[in-house]
Amino acid sequence: MRNLFGLIIVTFCLMWMPTQAQAAKQGKAGNIFRDCPSCPEMVVIPSGSFDMGSPGSEAGRDHDEGPVHRVNVAAFALGKTEITRGQFAAFVKKTNYSTGDKCWTLEGGKFEERSGNWSKLGYSQDDKHPVACINWNDAKAYAEWMSRKTGKQYRLPTEAEWEYSARGNTSTARYWGGNPDEACGYANAADKTAQAQILNTSSWSVHKCTDGFAYTAPVGSFKANAFGLNDMLGNVWEWTEDNYHDSYKGAPTDGSAWQGDGAKRVLRGGSWNNSPRDVRAAIRNGNEPARRFSIFGFRLARKLS
C-alpha cells in the first residue's frame, strides 16, 4: 500500500512537471524551447530597457539611426536562428505557397532581378542554411502558418525587439564589441573569403578576417550573443514588422511595431554581402514588402502567454 501511494505521488508530480513550453510561458529568461519537433528553436528574451539607435560618434552611422531614444521591451520569445531553407521548404510543401520566379541576385558584382527564388539562389545551400530570396509577405505567411500549426502566436519581431535582442545588453556597435575585424568568430559577413570567391578584388570593403563562407553559412555556425541568439548580425538581412521611417522622431518607446503608411518595411542585421558599415546592431534597411533579394531572410518572434 505504501509503495502504491508513493507511485501515485510520483505520477502526480510528473503530470504537473513544467514542460519547456510551460517554462517559457513563465518568462524564464534564456530558456530554449520548441512548440513541435519541426518548429524553430525559440529563446525567451527577458524584459528590459535599452538605448535604441547609434550615437553620432559611431563609425558607419547613417542618418536614420537617430535620435537615440530609450525603449522598454516586454519579455517575448525570439528564434535562436534564422528560419532555415529546410523549414521553409516544409511550409511550401504543406501549403503549396508560391514565392514566384523572380529574385534580385548577385552576379558580376551587381544585383539585378533575375529568374529564381528561394530554391534557386545562384549559390549553393543545404537545408541548414538560412532561407533567402524571401520578401516581407513570404515571412508573414510563414508566421501565420506556424501560428495555425501550433496554436501559439508567432509573428515577425518589432524593430525595437530585434535591436534589443541583437545587442544582448551591450551598447557597442556590435554584440562582440567595436572592432569589425573580430566578426569572423561571431557572424558571416563580407570577409576575405567572399572577397576572393565573389569579386576577387582588393577594392571591396570587407572585414579583415576569414570566416570560410563566401555566401550564407549554416545557421548557428558562429558564437551566440549574450541572449543565446545566433546570427543576429550577418548571414541574411531579417525582416521586421515595422514600416520604415527615415528617423526615430516620434518612434514608440514601448517596444511595439511602428506602423504607418510608408511603402517600405524594415530589415535589420546585414548579410554575407555586407561590409563593416552595414554589420552593426543599429543598421537599418527599408525595402518594399514584395521585393525579394538573395540576401533577405527572417526569424520569428512569439508571444509568451
Side-chain angles (χ1 to χ4, degrees), residues 129 188-191 193-194 197-198 210-218 221-222 235 272:
H129 284 241
N188 173 33
D191 68 325
T193 310
Q197 295 185 26
I198 299 175
T210 302
D211 64 30
F213 298 97
Y215 297 95
T216 57
S221 295
F222 300 88
N235 231 7
W272 53 265

Side-chain angles (χ1 to χ4, degrees), residues 35-93:
D35 286 320
C36 69
S38 61
C39 291
E41 278 191 313
M42 306 297 290
V43 180
V44 177
I45 306 300
S47 61
S49 300
F50 80 111
D51 290 328
M52 186 172 181
S54 63
S57 59
E58 185 167 301
R61 183 185 192 269
D62 209 343
H63 71 280
D64 63 356
E65 296 171 23
V68 174
H69 56 293
R70 194 73 175 171
V71 178
N72 301 311
V73 178
F76 71 107
L78 186 65
K80 182 171 174 57
T81 69
E82 295 147 336
I83 295 299
T84 66
R85 179 186 173 105
Q87 289 167 334
F88 195 80
F91 158 66
V92 170
K93 182 178 180 180

Side-chain angles (χ1 to χ4, degrees), residues 194-215:
Q195 186 179 55
Q197 295 185 26
I198 299 175
L199 289 186
N200 195 26
T201 175
S202 60
S203 64
W204 195 19
S205 177
V206 299
H207 298 77
K208 297 175 183 177
C209 59
T210 302
D211 64 30
F213 298 97
Y215 297 95

Side-chain angles (χ1 to χ4, degrees), residues 62-278:
D62 209 343
H63 71 280
D64 63 356
E65 296 171 23
V68 174
H69 56 293
R70 194 73 175 171
V71 178
N72 301 311
V73 178
F76 71 107
L78 186 65
K80 182 171 174 57
T81 69
E82 295 147 336
I83 295 299
T84 66
R85 179 186 173 105
Q87 289 167 334
F88 195 80
F91 158 66
V92 170
K93 182 178 180 180
K94 187 70 174 179
T95 63
N96 292 318
Y97 183 84
S98 174
T99 56
D101 59 0
K102 295 290 184 181
C103 179
W104 288 74
T105 57
L106 182 65
E107 190 174 304
K110 184 179 180 181
F111 274 100
E112 290 184 353
E113 190 174 34
R114 301 179 175 90
S115 176
N117 58 23
W118 66 272
S119 65
K120 299 174 183 178
L121 295 173
Y123 58 83
S124 179
Q125 284 191 318
D126 63 32
D127 283 351
K128 294 181 180 179
H129 284 241
V131 68
C133 277
I134 297 298
N135 67 25
W136 187 82
N137 297 316
D138 301 333
K140 291 281 286 185
Y142 184 92
E144 290 167 4
W145 176 67
M146 280 295 302
S147 297
R148 295 193 301 270
K149 180 178 178 180
T150 64
K152 309 298 182 182
Q153 296 182 50
Y154 281 89
R155 56 180 174 79
L156 293 179
T158 70
E159 187 178 10
E161 288 174 335
W162 189 96
E163 185 172 326
Y164 172 69
S165 301
R167 291 188 177 279
N169 286 331
T170 66
S171 58
T172 50
R174 303 155 184 90
Y175 47 80
W176 61 84
N179 186 356
D181 295 332
E182 294 178 4
C184 293
Y186 300 86
N188 173 33
D191 68 325
K192 292 181 179 180
T193 310
Q195 186 179 55
Q197 295 185 26
I198 299 175
L199 289 186
N200 195 26
T201 175
S202 60
S203 64
W204 195 19
S205 177
V206 299
H207 298 77
K208 297 175 183 177
C209 59
T210 302
D211 64 30
F213 298 97
Y215 297 95
T216 57
V219 299
S221 295
F222 300 88
K223 295 177 186 176
N225 72 1
F227 283 167
L229 301 166
N230 297 99
D231 310 309
M232 288 299 289
L233 296 180
N235 231 7
V236 289
W237 286 93
E238 300 177 13
W239 289 104
T240 67
E241 183 64 30
D242 300 45
N243 281 104
Y244 176 78
H245 298 75
D246 61 7
S247 87
Y248 286 135
K249 291 179 181 178
T253 59
D254 62 356
S256 61
W258 194 9
Q259 305 292 8
D261 56 4
K264 297 180 179 180
R265 297 284 176 169
V266 178
L267 298 106
R268 299 298 299 261
S271 76
W272 53 265
N273 181 58
N274 288 114
S275 66
R277 179 189 177 280
D278 293 330

